[in-house]
Amino acid sequence: MPAVHTLLLEEALQDSPQTRSLLSVFEEDAGTLTDYTNQLLQSMQRVYGAQSEMGLATEQLSRQLLEYEKQNFALGKGDEEVISTLQQFAKTVGELNTLHSELATQMADRMIFPMIQFREKDLTEISTLREIFGIASDEHEAAMVKYSRLPKKKENEKVKAELVGEVAYSRRKQHQASMQYYCALNALQYRKRVAMLEPMLGYTQAQINFYKKGIDLVSKKMDSFLGSVSSMTQNIQAQLDSEAEAMRMTQRELLSMEDTVYMPDRDPAPVNRTLIQKAGYLNIRNKTGLVTTAWDRLYFFTQGGNLMCQPRGAVAGGMVLDLDNSSVMAVECEDRRYCFQITSPNGKTSMILQAESKREYEEWICTLNNISRQIYLTDNPEAVAIRLNQTAIQAVTPITSFEKRGEGSPNPDRAKPGGMQSSSGASQKTSSAPEPEDLIVPGTPIQFDIMLPASEFQDQNRVGGRRTNPFGETDDDCSPESDDSLLQQVFAVRFLGSMAVRSGQTQEVIYEAMRQVLAARAIHNIFRTTESHLMVTSSCLRLIDPQTQVTRIGFQLQEVTQFVAHQENGRLMGFVVEGRDWSEDDEEGEPSFSAFVFESNTEGDKICYTISLGKDIMEAKKDPEALVQLLKNMPLTNEGKFLLLDNETGNTANGGAPDEEESEA
């Protein structure tokens, strides 16, 4: 006998679109079988009920048996052995179409009853289990929708526990219903063979047993054939019993799993950050109007460098977005948890997705970032992903506050990375591109925020008080009173990180600092940033809190040795500040360098241009004629300052509270 198509019970819990698609094929096959069974039973009932038309009824039955070969079953054409057997039965029925109507009683017991039992028991069971499975699936979807709406900010443990229990109960119920439904569909593939053969076997045997007169010739030709059919049905029944026992064992084994399998956000497995392929259900936000949105739960999977989506029941998935060089970041969206946004390289296409659990949320972000780097195009992408992850982890150690300056701070007056090279030594390098180790010492700590101590904030606002700069710089030239210089421009920026570097004479050190800062934020899931105002004057740079107008950090413009915007992401910019380290009792102090990385609301080139102009003004002040020439070439405001562009700080410049945002870098 050829192999029988079966549904895998192990895939019942995942309930993927592939499994649903295969299930629809089995359902179509069952529907075709139901239609054919009803037609065959009608033919049998005609034989049983129309004693006076026995000849016509058996002839119709013979034709109907031949139709089995033409049935377009979804799982494939009928078995050749069954087809050939039915063809032989059709021939026999054609020869016996003139026999006696006294067979009614035996036909009722051996032909009509098994077929009615198959229809009422097996096929009706399939229909009932299908309804139960549909109800369980709807309940699970409803439970997942309620769970997905669970708020993050005002989390209620009691409500959360109730929703988790409801999801687990509905998922278990769906799992049990699906396995029962799968088992019934698998068994139907065996039972339909027996159901097709057993009635005809009983009919033929009844003919032989009931009619002795004139049957000797017929029985001699049919004995061996009927024996082979009987043996075949017994073998099929034995296979069904064996398969049913195996399915029962598998069902018990799958149901013996822990309850955490059914609970969302309860997966104890660690996060795998080296994946280059990922598949699973996600909620996607769709706009339904100008201000209204709706969330749909769809099955997403990655294929090469593409993100694919496959609705339930679909034969194949379709491409949603090209992930090459795209950006992935966590976002806050409608008070939902585990949301992240994917943005195309040109920024014109973006989508917001929601994961089911924190582990899925982190793995999706890491996987999409790995694909965005085009790791999948390498010869051994798994090894490349593991190596990049290990390198990034070894290269960065996050420090979340200036309170840990003693462990390694980007403060230009205190930080001194090991193996530092002077600027003169850097100028002696060859023209080849420097290695990352030549720019930044491996393992250099990274600062992710700038926070003022409470005492400094009080000193800043105390009447008549003078703020003490926590970074060692003097406030003589960088105080608010000195900001009435020729240049004063404010930019809205978000501080991403800072770290000590070896040299401040090349732009490559800023690019490497950007790479390490962004890699550290991605690895440690640090996506939240706070908006600040970067004020550029002709004497200094100041980072100001827009709510309190407190200067978080300031630098003399002459201390800024390098500044550049990112070559691909124009909103990223950074600069290097030179300081002095007196830790080794050197009277002049050893030079130290720190790189600061920012994300701006405008092009980073504008900030770099403003810093460059400030340096030009600072140099021009030494030569009155050069200053006059510079004043002639640049437009001025009514106050006599350089006119560059409008301040972009919006309402926050007037003391409005800044919102914490997610970095788009």
Side-chain angles (χ1 to χ4, degrees), residues 131-276:
E131 295 179 0
I132 295 175
F133 174 70
I135 295 174
S137 298
D138 293 340
E139 292 178 354
H140 176 251
E141 287 297 322
M144 284 304 304
V145 170
K146 293 171 62 179
Y147 175 79
S148 299
R149 294 173 178 171
L150 190 66
K152 176 181 178 181
K153 296 181 180 178
K154 297 181 180 180
E155 187 169 329
N156 189 321
E157 292 297 329
K158 181 178 179 181
V159 174
K160 179 180 178 182
E162 292 176 356
L163 293 179
V164 169
E166 183 178 352
V167 171
Y169 172 76
S170 61
R171 188 168 290 178
R172 175 185 286 274
K173 183 177 178 181
Q174 183 194 20
H175 189 200
Q176 292 175 342
S178 61
M179 285 195 294
Q180 292 177 356
Y181 189 29
Y182 290 3
C183 291
L185 288 173
N186 291 340
L188 184 63
Q189 300 307 311
Y190 294 93
R191 287 174 179 154
K192 75 176 182 180
R193 300 183 179 185
V194 178
M196 297 298 107
L197 301 178
E198 186 178 7
M200 298 313 306
L201 177 62
Y203 172 79
T204 307
Q205 287 178 341
Q207 291 279 11
I208 296 174
N209 294 332
F210 185 79
Y211 292 104
K212 296 297 183 180
K213 186 165 74 172
I215 204 66
D216 293 340
L217 180 60
V218 177
S219 62
K220 289 179 181 179
K221 294 190 298 182
M222 296 291 295
D223 283 342
S224 60
F225 172 69
L226 296 179
S228 64
V229 174
S230 178
S231 176
M232 184 170 58
T233 57
Q234 291 176 4
N235 291 336
I236 296 174
Q237 186 64 42
Q239 293 180 14
L240 171 60
D241 295 339
S242 175
E243 182 68 20
E245 181 62 26
M247 289 190 293
R248 284 194 293 269
M249 294 294 295
T250 304
Q251 187 174 358
R252 281 198 297 269
E253 181 180 352
L254 295 176
L255 289 176
S256 63
M257 296 184 296
E258 297 182 0
D259 292 340
T260 54
V261 176
Y262 302 97
M263 297 180 181
D265 211 6
R266 291 292 189 274
D267 195 342
V271 177
N272 188 350
R273 303 182 184 277
T274 61
L275 296 175
I276 57 173

Side-chain angles (χ1 to χ4, degrees), residues 78 142 185 191 242 279 351 353 371 386 431 482 584 604 607 615:
L185 288 173
R191 287 174 179 154
S242 175
M351 63 175 59
L353 303 172
I371 296 175
I386 293 174
S431 60
S482 64
E584 297 183 0
I607 302 179
K615 282 182 167 291

Side-chain angles (χ1 to χ4, degrees), residues 4 65 90 107 112 126 165 206 285 350 352 394 412 457 506 588 636:
V4 176
L65 292 174
M107 284 190 292
I112 302 298
I126 294 294
R285 190 181 73 164
S350 65
I352 296 179
Q394 294 172 359
F457 180 78
T506 62
E588 296 183 358
L636 302 177

